[in-house]
Structure formats: C-alpha cells, structure tokens
Amino acid sequence: MTGSSDFPVKSLRGRLTANAPLGPRAWFRVGGPADWMFIPEDQDDLARFLREKPATMPVTVLGACSNVIIRDGGIAGTVIRLARGFANIDVQGSSLIVGAAALDVTVAEHAAAAGLAGLEFLAGIPGSIGGAVRMNAGAYGSDLDAILEWAEILTEKGDLRRLSHDELGFAYRHSELPEGSVVIRACLRGTPDNADAIRSRIADIRASREASQPVRARTGGSTFRNPEGHKAWQLIDEAGCRGLQIGDAQVSEKHCNFLLNLGQASSADLETLGETVREKVLARSGVSLHWEIKRIGRQSEGEQTL
Ligand SMILES: Cc1cc2nc3c(=O)[nH]c(=O)nc-3n(C[C@H](O)[C@H](O)[C@H](O)COP(=O)(O)OP(=O)(O)OC[C@H]3O[C@@H](n4cnc5c(N)ncnc54)[C@H](O)[C@@H]3O)c2cc1C
C-alpha cells in the first residue's frame, strides 16, 4: 500500500493511495485528486473497509468515469474503484453473472459469443456494469431495466444484499440504489440467438455511434436528461448553443447534448458551460434541463463534497 499509515482502517489487502489523481481516469480528463483511493482486493476486503471506516468519512464509488464531472477541488474522503477482483463474467444458461467492474462492451461481447441476444446495446456504452446499474444506462430502446434480474450490493455498513429487479426501482436513467451502497455484481438475462446475427447487430451499433456521437473525444456522454416530450439535443440546438464555447469547454458540433473538453478545460469551465446552456434553453423554450451527468466533489481545495 502507498501512504497508508494515516488511513483509519488498517490491514486492508487492496491498494490504498493518498491524494490520488482522478483527472487522468475520467473521460473528460478533468478533476482534482481523491483524498484517498481504495482499490479493494475482493468482496471481503471491501466489506471490511465499509464496516470499519469512520462514520464521518465520505465514500464515493467510481466506475469508468464516463458519466461524471469530477470537480477541480477533488473528492473528499475515500474513492472506491473496483478492479480485477470484481470483473468476472460467468455465463449460466441464458443469464450472465457479471462483476460490477466489467465493462459494458466486454459484457456485450461475451453475450454474443454465448449466443445470447438482448445485451447488444451495451456495446455502445463506455461504462462499467456498476455505473450502468446505478444510471439505468440504455440505448437503442433498451436499458438495464429490461435485462437485469438482480444486483448484489454491499450496503454502506458492508452487508451483502441481493436486490431483485423490482427493488431497484428503475426509471429513465435512474435507479433506487440504497444510499452509500456499492454494486458488486449483477445477473443479466439474454435470449438465445445466432451468435453471428448478434455480432452483426453490435457492429451496426458501433457504426451508428461513430457517425452520430463524438465517441473519441474527452466527453461525458449525454449531459442533460431528455425532458418529458422533448429531446435535450433539439432544445439545445434551437437555443443556438451548438458549438458554444467557454475556455476549452465546448458544446459538441456533432451531438449538442455532449460537452467536450477541447484540451485544457477545467471542471468549472464545463459546469459553467452546462449552466449557460440551461439558461439559454429555459429562455428560448421555457423548458428546464436537468443534468444527467453526475457532478461530484469540491469546487476548490478545502470545500466540502456536495
Ligand atoms: C461517448 C459516451 C457515450 C455514452 N452513451 C451512453 C448511452 O448511450 N446511454 C447511456 O445510458 N449512457 C451513455 N453514456 C454515459 C455513461 O457511459 C453511462 O452512464 C455509464 O453507465 C456510466 O458508467 P461508469 O462506470 O462510467 O460510471 P461513472 O461515470 O464512474 O459513475 C456514474 C455514477 O454511477 C455510480 N457508480 C459507479 N459504479 C458504481 C458501483 N459499482 N456501485 C454504485 N454506484 C456506482 C457513481 O458513483 C456515479 O454516481 C455515454 C458516455 C460517453 C462518454
């Protein structure tokens, strides 16, 4: 472990780092460091950390950081990152038991190889299964709500619980995960089909993404939720925000519900740009946009996590 002597929980087996940089891990490539980053070795290690950590220590779980703006002041307390010990993918009949750290795209490929259809949409989402459950990630008319049978979590006190589909209370880009809990694995259901046909649908999804989204840019996916009866991108376009720029933060020309870091943007630039877009859309159409991207951490060093 690195710099672990001051950490309040002793003898953890995983990797602990003080003042751990987060920006390089985030899709946006912005954000200050975590006071502590803990990469648990396995489920028992994570459960012990959750049981023994001081009640006052804030804990934040991060997946692939593809739907977050980590603020410039970094994250107070401990950031948990799930890695190898949580990335298993096991095919059981027409279900897949997948670890929370497994990437959505890898899960889609495993399902295709096993001749299981219905998970193709995951090939277009650059996150992890933990983040997908939390966000009810979806695309092309499907989402986690449609394919999840159960998810196992560790509660904020470190107890293992299996939540059924219904207990997760899925809604559009939303789940009712208990506060402070960590998703550690999920059971996803597929439907038997021809593997080549599934692979061909995955290829179509990839091609359509490349054509319509800035998938190679420093971005965070859809910035705002689609308001009831509207498309966020259309409202943003109509408000004249396509290509709008603040510093190195820009509203994508290609898909205007995506924000981009053109190089040297700060989190503050991205957030200010997002708020400017919200104001302009409200003034033009009377519709209030709500952030889909999670904005986490301190605005500046020394502030509390919001
Ligand atoms: C180019 C691009 C395209 C995208 N396209 C789509 C799309 O089509 N559809 C879509 O839905 N999303 C899309 N996204 C957004 C993003 O990929 C999804 O929301 C994804 O599910 C986030 O997963 P993550 O692992 O990156 O989570 P993170 O961004 O790391 O975290 C997101 C939230 O999930 C929580 N979280 C993460 N892991 C866990 C865990 N194990 N337990 C509990 N909570 C956890 C975090 O605390 C945070 O609140 C896109 C993003 C990009 C950059």
Side-chain angles (χ1 to χ4, degrees):
M1 281 188 212
T2 317
S4 61
S5 56
D6 298 335
F7 198 67
V9 185
K10 304 296 176 201
S11 309
L12 292 165
R13 286 177 289 116
R15 188 136 59 90
L16 190 58
T17 312
N19 208 26
L22 294 174
R25 293 204 60 249
W27 263 72
F28 270 122
R29 299 288 187 279
V30 294
D35 291 353
W36 295 95
M37 158 97 77
F38 176 46
I39 304 178
E41 184 73 19
D42 53 28
Q43 182 179 324
D44 289 343
D45 202 29
L46 175 56
R48 196 162 80 73
F49 162 74
L50 292 168
R51 270 197 310 273
E52 296 183 16
K53 72 170 184 61
T56 50
M57 176 182 265
V59 174
T60 306
V61 200
L62 289 177
C65 297
S66 64
N67 211 202
V68 288
I69 293 178
I70 298 165
R71 291 190 171 120
D72 299 315
I75 299 184
T78 302
V79 164
I80 294 173
R81 183 157 83 80
L82 303 183
R84 268 204 315 271
F86 296 84
N88 271 4
I89 300 176
D90 192 16
V91 179
Q92 293 185 5
S94 54
S95 295
L96 288 96
I97 314 293
V98 295
L103 291 178
D104 300 349
V105 58
T106 315
V107 173
E109 282 162 1
H110 270 72
L116 293 174
L119 289 81
E120 294 89 325
F121 73 95
L122 289 173
I125 303 177
S128 68
I129 289 297
V133 173
R134 172 75 173 76
M135 301 300 296
N136 185 21
Y140 301 99
S142 196
D143 54 17
L144 263 282
D145 184 9
I147 59 166
L148 183 138
E149 290 187 353
W150 50 256
E152 283 181 349
I153 61 165
L154 288 176
T155 65
E156 65 176 337
K157 298 260 182 282
D159 299 325
L160 178 66
R161 274 186 65 194
R162 180 175 289 191
L163 301 178
S164 67
H165 168 273
D166 290 354
E167 285 174 297
L168 279 158
F170 285 122
Y172 168 62
R173 300 294 170 266
H174 173 82
S175 70
E176 295 283 341
L177 270 184
E179 190 63 33
S181 62
V182 183
V183 175
I184 54 168
R185 70 179 69 79
C187 176
L188 308 178
R189 188 182 48 244
T191 311
D193 195 1
N194 176 279
D196 287 337
I198 300 170
R199 285 198 189 95
S200 148
R201 288 196 291 272
I202 287 180
D204 288 348
I205 284 175
R206 288 204 172 114
S208 133
R209 291 265 151 174
E210 288 274 350
S212 62
Q213 293 181 356
V215 290
R216 298 180 195 288
R218 297 173 172 196
T219 181
S222 294
T223 309
F224 302 106
R225 301 156 61 85
N226 284 325
E228 194 72 38
H230 297 277
K231 297 252 181 256
W233 75 262
Q234 209 162 11
L235 295 171
I236 296 168
D237 204 11
E238 285 164 8
C241 296
R242 189 180 287 267
L244 187 69
Q245 203 169 328
I246 292 182
D248 257 359
Q250 189 195 41
V251 175
S252 166
E253 297 269 4
K254 195 169 188 179
H255 188 314
C256 56
N257 197 21
F258 279 49
L259 300 184
L260 305 179
N261 171 6
L262 298 179
Q264 302 302 318
S266 63
S267 302
D269 293 335
L270 290 163
E271 256 193 281
T272 307
L273 179 61
E275 288 301 328
T276 307
V277 168
R278 291 185 67 229
E279 280 164 25
K280 287 182 181 289
V281 167
L282 185 62
R284 169 74 169 73
S285 61
V287 179
S288 189
L289 291 176
H290 294 282
W291 287 85
E292 177 175 321
I293 287 179
K294 305 276 181 207
R295 294 158 299 147
I296 53 179
R298 301 171 283 221
Q299 305 277 9
S300 56
E301 203 60 48
E303 265 183 42
Q304 288 301 307
T305 301
L306 297 177

